[in-house]
């Protein structure tokens, strides 16, 4: 490992590196095709999945933020279409995620750990050991009878948190790589099938890397996607343990793929050797709560001086900014946040509240309104309803 003094990077330069790495800055294409979408997912490494559908499901939003309006069936076909059209697969990465098929070999070590009962959540692990027979019987049923969802087995107990024994067994089989998602039903319920009947043969035939090599490749992906990041942020991108993540980071530093840098107010950070360093970033974007640019809230605050918390689970009387709030990126800063909802029955995009940041430039509201109109068009909604009052928080709140 190099003993030379770390390079110094200003906060403004770090922001530009991060935004460029995340795919912000270039002009949006006039027409978005499957290639644009494929390259966006490849750049980020994953699109996080979440069940909330206030505006659109979370996995659709990162591509909209970077590319503008696009045909969401492009993503549906890539993730859950016929086998020959598949370009993505579902697995646990940062959280439940859609990932490029090329990432499948890099996550097989996690599947193997789950198969041994060394990974997974709570009682799910029991299906790797003392309840393995029941899980294998369920796997045999899928092999013989075809795809299954949890509701096919236990009468519809499929709420996001209402995990029955059947759901736990299916999720362990999924985590361990025995099955994967074939499609999604109404309500976003997973339908599972054997992995070998879903993942293309050419992907399954690829060799499985050693654990350390796979983890190093995952941290490399994370570093490319983040541009510059702390050790904790690099580990968190694909949810590596501190031990696994530290070994991978050390190896990448020794190979000079990651370079330590000093940023004012940051812990030690690492810059990917291929990171672009633009002099300016333009454009605008509405960001989902689970967008990788902002999903790590402390990083968001260090980068942008923007304290962000999702308030869905906060009682209404205690919410500060609203139920489903999207930060608004303009150029190189987060300049506003909007509480927004797609009212599909009335075919309108409802903006319940707009909070401008104290340093928001004069053009913020016009740019935000234009981007919300783009979102309404993307969602095939006929109307955009803005609130009558635009709020600017006082500087003393700390929301910079």
């Amino acid at each position: 490992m190099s003993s030379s003094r770390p390079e110094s990077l200003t906060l403004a330069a770090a922001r530009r590196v991060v935004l460029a790495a995340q795919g912000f800055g270039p002009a949006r294409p006039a027409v978005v095709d499957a290639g644009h979408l494929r390259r966006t997912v490849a750049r980020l490494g994953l699109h996080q999945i979440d069940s909330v559908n206030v505006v659109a499901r979370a996995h659709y939003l990162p591509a909209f933020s970077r590319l503008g309006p696009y045909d969401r069936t492009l993503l549906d076909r890539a993730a859950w279409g016929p086998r020959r059209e598949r370009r993505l697969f579902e697995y646990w990465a940062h959280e439940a995620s859609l990932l490029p098929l090329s990432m499948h070999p890099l996550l097989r070590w996690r599947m193997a750990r789950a198969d041994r009962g060394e990974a997974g959540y709570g009682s799910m692990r029991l299906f790797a050991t003392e309840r393995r027979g029941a899980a294998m019987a369920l796997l045999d049923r899928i092999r013989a009878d075809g795809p299954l969802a949890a509701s096919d087995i236990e009468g519809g107990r499929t709420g996001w948190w209402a995990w029955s024994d059947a759901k736990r067994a299916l999720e362990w089989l999924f985590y361990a790589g025995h099955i994967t998602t074939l499609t999604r039903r109404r309500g976003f319920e997973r339908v599972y099938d054997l992995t070998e009947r879903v993942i293309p043969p050419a992907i399954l035939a690829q060799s499985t890397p050693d654990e350390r090599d796979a983890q190093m490749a995952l941290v490399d992906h994370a570093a490319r996607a983040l541009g510059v990041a702390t050790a904790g942020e690099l580990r968190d991108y694909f949810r590596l343990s501190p031990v696994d993540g530290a070994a991978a980071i050390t190896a990448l530093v020794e190979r000079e793929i990651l370079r330590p840098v000093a940023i004012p107010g940051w812990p030690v950070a690492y810059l990917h050797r291929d990171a672009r360093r633009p002099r300016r970033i333009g454009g605008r974007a509405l960001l989902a709560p689970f967008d990788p640019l902002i999903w790590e809230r402390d990083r968001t605050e260090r980068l942008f001086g923007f304290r962000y918390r999702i308030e869905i689970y906060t009682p209404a009387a205690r919410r500060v900014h609203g139920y489903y709030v999207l930060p608004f990126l303009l150029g190189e800063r987060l300049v506003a946040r909007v509480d927004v909802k797609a009212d599909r029955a009335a075919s309108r995009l409802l903006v319940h509240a707009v909070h401008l940041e104290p340093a928001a430039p004069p053009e913020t509201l016009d740019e935000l309104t234009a981007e919300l109109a783009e979102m309404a068009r993307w969602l095939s909604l006929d109307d955009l309803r803005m609130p009558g009052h635009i709020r600017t928080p006082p500087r003393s709140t700390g929301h910079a």
Side-chain angles (χ1 to χ4, degrees), residues 15-166:
R15 266 198 302 269
R16 290 191 291 271
V17 167
V18 168
L19 289 167
Q22 283 279 300
F24 295 102
R28 290 171 171 176
V31 178
V32 179
D33 60 25
H36 293 114
L37 183 62
R38 182 172 61 251
R39 288 188 290 274
T40 296
V41 181
R43 176 192 290 275
L44 300 180
L46 57 87
H47 280 197
Q48 185 173 328
I49 297 170
D50 190 80
S51 64
V52 175
N53 195 21
V54 176
V55 175
R57 295 201 188 275
H59 57 281
Y60 294 117
L61 284 161
F64 170 76
S65 299
R66 289 152 180 83
L67 300 173
Y70 72 98
D71 182 354
R72 282 171 287 167
T73 63
L74 291 173
L75 187 60
D76 291 338
R77 288 198 298 272
W80 303 293
R83 194 181 194 189
R84 65 184 180 278
E85 295 183 23
R86 292 206 177 209
R87 299 293 182 269
L88 307 173
F89 73 105
E90 281 194 50
Y91 192 60
W92 290 98
H94 183 77
E95 292 288 342
S97 302
L98 288 173
L99 303 105
L101 284 169
S102 60
M103 303 287 286
H104 191 272
L106 301 182
L107 290 162
R108 290 176 190 162
W109 62 272
R110 180 169 286 165
M111 298 173 192
R113 286 188 183 181
D115 191 60
R116 298 191 298 267
E118 298 169 6
Y121 297 99
S123 58
M124 186 200 304
R125 296 190 184 201
L126 294 176
F127 291 98
T129 53
E130 60 197 73
R131 302 194 66 186
R132 191 179 187 96
M136 290 297 105
L138 189 53
L139 182 62
D140 287 340
R141 178 175 169 182
I142 294 171
R143 181 175 290 112
D145 298 341
L148 282 176
S151 61
D152 296 324
I153 303 167
E154 292 199 353
R157 294 176 60 197
T158 57
W160 192 248
W161 299 111
W163 278 28
S164 64
D165 279 352

Side-chain angles (χ1 to χ4, degrees), residues 238-301:
F238 290 103
R239 294 289 201 246
L240 299 183
S241 72
V243 171
D244 292 336
I249 291 168
T250 297
L252 291 167
V253 171
E254 288 174 346
R255 298 181 188 197
E256 299 187 347
I257 294 170
L258 295 183
R259 298 168 179 169
V261 292
I263 304 170
W266 282 46
V268 174
Y270 299 90
L271 178 74
H272 196 280
R273 68 181 178 190
D274 296 331
R276 290 179 51 238
R277 303 192 191 199
R279 298 179 63 180
R280 181 180 176 276
I281 295 286
R284 67 190 187 209
L286 290 161
L287 302 168
F290 310 106
D291 192 291
L293 179 64
I294 58 169
W295 67 29
E296 215 295 321
R297 308 309 189 203
D298 290 343
R299 173 180 169 86
T300 302
E301 195 159 0

Side-chain angles (χ1 to χ4, degrees), residues 111-336:
M111 298 173 192
R113 286 188 183 181
D115 191 60
R116 298 191 298 267
E118 298 169 6
Y121 297 99
S123 58
M124 186 200 304
R125 296 190 184 201
L126 294 176
F127 291 98
T129 53
E130 60 197 73
R131 302 194 66 186
R132 191 179 187 96
M136 290 297 105
L138 189 53
L139 182 62
D140 287 340
R141 178 175 169 182
I142 294 171
R143 181 175 290 112
D145 298 341
L148 282 176
S151 61
D152 296 324
I153 303 167
E154 292 199 353
R157 294 176 60 197
T158 57
W160 192 248
W161 299 111
W163 278 28
S164 64
D165 279 352
K167 178 65 173 175
R168 291 188 185 94
L170 287 167
E171 282 297 310
W172 174 76
L173 289 167
F174 173 75
Y175 210 147
H178 297 293
I179 59 176
T180 191
T181 308
L182 175 67
T183 188
R184 288 279 189 164
R185 286 182 178 167
R186 186 180 300 275
F188 213 52
E189 182 187 17
R190 280 193 184 117
V191 179
Y192 306 89
D193 201 0
L194 300 181
T195 298
E196 58 265 32
R197 295 201 293 232
V198 177
I199 302 295
I203 299 298
L204 296 176
Q206 291 180 11
S207 60
T208 299
D210 172 85
E211 276 198 10
R212 290 295 179 91
D213 289 340
Q215 291 159 2
M216 190 165 61
L218 290 172
V219 172
D220 181 60
H221 271 277
R224 289 177 185 275
L226 293 172
V228 62
T230 66
E233 292 156 4
L234 292 171
R235 293 195 306 264
D236 181 65
Y237 206 86
F238 290 103
R239 294 289 201 246
L240 299 183
S241 72
V243 171
D244 292 336
I249 291 168
T250 297
L252 291 167
V253 171
E254 288 174 346
R255 298 181 188 197
E256 299 187 347
I257 294 170
L258 295 183
R259 298 168 179 169
V261 292
I263 304 170
W266 282 46
V268 174
Y270 299 90
L271 178 74
H272 196 280
R273 68 181 178 190
D274 296 331
R276 290 179 51 238
R277 303 192 191 199
R279 298 179 63 180
R280 181 180 176 276
I281 295 286
R284 67 190 187 209
L286 290 161
L287 302 168
F290 310 106
D291 192 291
L293 179 64
I294 58 169
W295 67 29
E296 215 295 321
R297 308 309 189 203
D298 290 343
R299 173 180 169 86
T300 302
E301 195 159 0
R302 274 189 279 109
L303 267 174
F304 298 102
F306 187 94
R307 189 175 188 275
Y308 178 53
R309 299 294 184 271
I310 188 167
E311 298 181 81
I312 288 175
Y313 308 111
T314 302
R318 292 170 51 197
R319 289 181 194 135
V320 176
H321 297 107
Y323 180 74
Y324 196 73
V325 173
L326 307 183
F328 180 54
L329 175 72
L330 185 62
E332 300 171 15
R333 300 302 300 263
L334 295 176
V335 298

